[in-house]
Amino acid sequence: MLGKTLLHICLVVLVVLVVGSNTAIASYRMHFFLPDFPPYTMPDEQGNAVGIGVDKMKLILDSIDVDYTFKVGSNHGRALSELRSGRSDGFFMASQNEQRDQFAKFANSVMVNRWVWVVRRQSREYFDPENKEKYVVASLVNTNTNFWLNKSGYKTAAPASDIKSLISKLSSKEVDAVFVAQEVFNEEFKYDTRFQIMVQVEKEFSVYISNAFLKKHPEFMEKLNRAIEKHR
């Protein structure tokens, strides 16, 4: 009886050891708070993070053994606030600016983001973005495009919370043009013949990783950048 009990215990221990040896332990555990920024990052009907930026970053993070979680909500301003407070280790997709650089490090480019002017079709021939005093323009709240408009001295209307509200300002002639990432416009209005676009600039689009996380894992940024180059 004692022999059978000892045999049973040995078998249980052996199973635990085998299972444990095959259980992967992630090199890094990270939480990302993401802006609701279609088509790059957005929630599906179940609240899960989806989008072309999410697909790209999953591939990159998986390749360097990151155990990650995503939460989508609000905008880039909220994403930065979550990072600053320590509730998030990073956010994407984003372009670089000095405010974000104070609290996080910008990784190598994951994709190219085209910033475009959107105008009413009948205004395309006459719109000159260099004439800052002539036009009232707008962008999306807490985005780098809105930050750029204000920094560059444009006459701006209140920023919109989403692309449909922004284009509504243009349709109603509240503004003369809107300034936005091309893919954001294309998500809802790509085939809308009422509007035309003009490319202003191409910006690197990538992920910010918090300084606090990098202080604990100083080797991480090099690994991340190598993975980005491999999977870009």
Side-chain angles (χ1 to χ4, degrees):
M1 184 69 178
L2 180 60
K4 290 184 177 180
T5 301
L6 288 174
L7 179 61
H8 179 72
I9 292 173
C10 288
L11 288 173
V12 171
V13 170
L14 181 62
V15 169
V16 169
L17 289 173
V18 170
V19 172
S21 66
N22 291 327
T23 301
I25 300 174
S27 299
Y28 307 97
R29 296 184 184 277
M30 303 182 72
H31 175 65
F32 293 84
F33 187 95
L34 311 177
D36 189 351
F37 195 53
Y40 300 102
T41 52
M42 52 193 171
D44 64 13
E45 293 181 354
Q46 287 74 44
N48 300 312
V50 296
I52 59 176
V54 173
D55 292 342
K56 193 71 172 180
M57 284 305 302
K58 280 183 174 180
L59 178 65
I60 292 166
L61 295 172
D62 285 341
S63 73
I64 53 175
D65 198 22
V66 177
D67 180 9
Y68 51 81
T69 56
F70 300 143
K71 182 177 181 180
V72 181
S74 194
N75 52 53
H76 284 82
R78 172 73 183 281
L80 180 59
S81 177
E82 291 291 309
L83 182 145
R84 289 179 60 181
S85 69
R87 292 189 293 268
S88 171
D89 298 307
F91 63 90
F92 59 85
M93 303 302 294
S95 50
Q96 188 172 18
N97 70 33
E98 54 262 38
Q99 182 186 26
R100 297 166 183 172
D101 286 346
Q102 295 178 54
F103 309 101
K105 188 170 179 62
F106 191 65
N108 288 357
S109 175
V110 173
M111 60 181 68
V112 172
N113 178 30
R114 291 179 179 86
W115 288 0
V116 298
W117 295 101
V118 183
V119 297
R120 294 180 294 275
R121 174 172 288 276
Q122 59 269 32
S123 304
R124 172 64 180 84
E125 183 179 351
Y126 309 103
F127 180 74
D128 177 11
E130 298 301 316
N131 194 340
K132 299 177 183 179
E133 296 299 318
K134 185 175 180 180
Y135 306 105
V136 177
V137 298
S139 189
L140 293 169
V141 67
N142 285 328
T143 58
N144 227 6
T145 46
N146 188 60
F147 179 82
W148 184 86
L149 287 179
N150 291 317
K151 183 180 178 181
S152 301
Y154 283 89
K155 294 166 61 177
T156 58
S161 60
D162 57 69
I163 188 62
K164 290 183 179 179
S165 300
L166 185 63
I167 295 302
S168 178
K169 289 176 180 284
L170 183 61
S171 298
S172 65
K173 299 185 178 181
E174 180 181 343
V175 298
D176 300 295
V178 300
F179 191 57
V180 69
Q182 183 176 0
E183 288 297 332
V184 174
F185 173 78
N186 285 347
E187 178 73 4
E188 295 287 346
F189 297 99
K190 183 176 183 178
Y191 302 107
D192 195 323
T193 58
R194 295 175 298 165
F195 309 108
Q196 287 197 333
I197 64 171
M198 302 166 58
V199 177
Q200 172 70 26
V201 68
E202 292 187 344
K203 287 282 188 177
E204 306 298 335
F205 227 26
S206 191
V207 55
Y208 267 105
I209 304 298
S210 77
N211 291 338
F213 180 86
L214 293 175
K215 187 175 181 179
K216 297 177 182 177
H217 306 282
E219 78 291 344
F220 179 78
M221 208 66 190
E222 183 179 349
K223 290 184 178 181
L224 176 63
N225 284 332
R226 284 203 304 264
I228 289 172
E229 294 301 320
K230 180 179 180 180
H231 296 287
R232 185 160 54 187

